[in-house]
Amino acid sequence: MERLEDLKDKTEATSYAEVVKNALRLYESMILKHEEGNRFLLKNPQGELTEYEVFY
């Protein structure tokens, strides 16, 4: 519950349902991109890229 409250605050969502709905939308989108062969990269403040392995 604490994590859900934290996400609600950080995203300025109006409800817990909105947080969950947005999380599911993001997760679904990431799965579709992964299935298309895309990779996820993180860029640190120095501009260096690191692959972020969401799905193994």
Side-chain angles (χ1 to χ4, degrees), residues 40-53:
F40 300 97
L41 302 172
L42 297 175
K43 185 176 177 181
N44 69 19
Q46 292 74 37
E48 301 166 329
L49 296 176
T50 303
E51 186 167 1
Y52 184 67
E53 294 186 32

Side-chain angles (χ1 to χ4, degrees), residues 18-40:
E18 184 180 353
V19 173
V20 173
K21 180 182 70 173
N22 290 339
L24 289 173
R25 186 180 303 130
L26 174 62
Y27 191 54
E28 180 181 38
S29 174
M30 291 178 75
I31 288 170
L32 291 173
K33 292 297 181 188
H34 177 73
E35 289 174 342
E36 293 172 356
N38 290 287
R39 298 176 358 201
F40 300 97

